[in-house]
Amino acid sequence: MGSKPQRYDAEFREGAVRIVIETGKPIPEVAEDLGVHPGTLHSWVSRWRRNGSASCDRPAPAGSGGRLREGERAELDRLRREMSEKNKRIRELEMERDVFKRCMALWVK
């Protein structure tokens, strides 16, 4: 029969994930070096990327897919509204430009 699955403590998992994240080495290579199944290490890294450092209490680094704080969410909403208004203004100006082009073409004829 198969052996009982190996249990790894949180510190070991965090260290393994940090090796993959910080060095950029491929998961299979790091897994082989540490004596861990590549699928197991892949799941740890995926979990870390999905919801920050899953096995530690530190906040996730920027760009890791963590949740936004209330202030960040408000700023994002504000920036999206601004962008929408600017895009609307750009479309209006493009339409005006096109009208002027047509007028010039008719005037030249």
Side-chain angles (χ1 to χ4, degrees):
M1 290 218 152
S3 62
K4 185 176 178 182
Q6 177 71 36
R7 290 280 185 190
Y8 300 98
D9 62 341
E11 189 174 317
F12 180 83
R13 290 191 305 263
E14 180 182 353
V17 169
R18 289 184 71 193
I19 291 171
V20 172
I21 299 299
E22 293 175 4
T23 65
K25 286 185 178 179
I27 290 175
E29 183 179 325
V30 175
E32 184 178 333
D33 292 345
L34 296 175
V36 177
H37 189 275
T40 302
L41 182 55
H42 178 71
S43 68
W44 296 344
V45 172
S46 295
R47 187 179 311 134
W48 186 88
R49 287 180 175 148
R50 188 172 47 248
N51 51 348
S53 49
S55 61
C56 65
D57 296 313
R58 279 182 264 147
S64 68
R67 301 251 188 256
L68 294 177
R69 285 179 262 145
E70 190 173 329
E72 292 171 328
R73 172 64 61 193
E75 182 180 6
L76 180 61
D77 290 341
R78 180 185 62 79
L79 292 172
R80 284 182 175 161
R81 278 193 307 275
E82 249 179 56
M83 185 60 115
S84 174
E85 291 168 6
K86 288 179 181 182
N87 285 337
K88 181 179 177 183
R89 180 67 179 144
I90 288 171
R91 283 191 303 273
E92 290 172 356
L93 290 170
E94 286 173 341
M95 287 192 312
E96 288 177 14
R97 180 200 62 202
D98 292 343
V99 168
F100 287 129
K101 278 183 179 179
R102 288 184 192 117
C103 288
M104 287 300 293
L106 290 175
W107 183 73
V108 169
K109 285 182 180 180

